[in-house]
Amino acid sequence: DAKTTQPPSMDCAEGRAANLPCNHSTISGNEYVYWYRQIHSQGPQYIIHGLKNNETNEMASLIITEDRKSSTLILPHATLRDTAVYYCIVRVRAYSGGGADGLTFGKGTHLIIQP
Amino acid sequence: DTAVSQTPKYLVTQMGNDKSIKCEQNLGHDTMYWYKQDSKKFLKIMFSYNNKELIINETVPNRFSPKSPDKAHLNLHINSLELGDSAVYFCASSQPRQGIVIQYFGAGTRLSVL
């Protein structure tokens, strides 16, 4: 799986959009970008994933650059409860019977939402 | 209903003891995992398991062993506990769908070895 690089920490004001960048310059064509977060003392939580198109769900939006070498997770209206460590993970597409290997978590970005 | 549940939430024990952590998932997933999060907050995969295959991270001591009585359960047994085993252990499960693998995690078990 391709390596990812994220800033160690970021601040964002409550109510504003939080934009979390991730660099994955060695990503290959069959690798997806996944985002998870871990709120203090809880298990990691899946947020969103994408291949090459921008994606949006009830939690966030994911913007992937055209060359796929970087992406941005956007929390449109950050709340205090969004304070967490956010992990950007690149994973190869899982074929039938596959997908059993675990996720490789880096250090992530510690996002702090300020009141 | 909690999708992935672990018990106990906290476990305090003495060095040298043997302990188990239980994990159950009600999502119907084929694959389950155990992760370890150490004091520096790094999350590392220990095992992944489905009804066909056990994948072991080679850095995991053989004092750790996963046991799966059925597809919905993956328990973690630890023999001869050491101080360095103190960590938070997370169970997870997943089911590949069209090449996408989303893992669902439990709330964690905080193990303290004294």
Side-chain angles (χ1 to χ4, degrees), chain A residues 60-81:
Chain A
S61 294
L62 175 60
I63 309 297
I64 302 174
T65 58
E66 195 169 340
D67 63 8
R68 303 211 320 125
K69 293 185 176 182
S70 65
S71 60
T72 301
L73 177 75
I74 301 173
L75 308 177
H77 304 288
T79 71
L80 297 178
R81 286 176 293 183

Side-chain angles (χ1 to χ4, degrees), chain B residues 56-88:
Chain B
I56 303 172
N57 184 321
E58 64 273 10
T59 65
V60 176
N62 57 15
R63 298 181 295 102
F64 290 78
S65 57
K67 294 210 170 32
S68 180
D70 55 58
K71 198 174 84 163
H73 296 83
L74 184 66
N75 302 324
L76 182 64
H77 295 268
I78 316 169
N79 295 326
S80 303
L81 278 155
E82 299 178 358
L83 294 176
D85 298 332
S86 296
V88 182

Side-chain angles (χ1 to χ4, degrees), chain B:
Chain B
D1 257 357
T2 304
V4 181
S5 58
Q6 300 178 224
T7 54
K9 191 169 173 64
Y10 299 96
L11 183 54
V12 181
T13 188
Q14 299 287 331
M15 264 192 343
N17 284 351
D18 303 337
K19 289 293 179 185
S20 295
I21 307 172
K22 295 186 177 181
C23 179
E24 175 181 4
Q25 53 97 2
N26 63 6
L27 299 168
H29 290 168
D30 284 337
T31 306
M32 296 183 72
Y33 312 78
W34 278 104
Y35 288 81
K36 177 181 179 181
Q37 188 167 39
D38 61 23
S39 57
K40 295 182 179 178
K41 304 296 184 185
F42 289 119
L43 260 167
K44 290 187 179 176
I45 181 71
M46 299 177 70
F47 305 99
S48 60
Y49 185 84
N50 63 23
N51 54 14
K52 302 170 189 172
E53 186 180 15
L54 171 66
I55 300 175
I56 303 172
N57 184 321
E58 64 273 10
T59 65
V60 176
N62 57 15
R63 298 181 295 102
F64 290 78
S65 57
K67 294 210 170 32
S68 180
D70 55 58
K71 198 174 84 163
H73 296 83
L74 184 66
N75 302 324
L76 182 64
H77 295 268
I78 316 169
N79 295 326
S80 303
L81 278 155
E82 299 178 358
L83 294 176
D85 298 332
S86 296
V88 182
Y89 293 85
F90 290 99
C91 176
S93 73
S94 72
Q95 183 72 27
R97 285 196 172 86
Q98 299 180 324
I100 305 302
V101 180
I102 295 171
Q103 294 192 13
Y104 295 86
F105 287 79
T109 296
R110 185 174 295 275
L111 171 64
S112 298
V113 182
L114 307 178

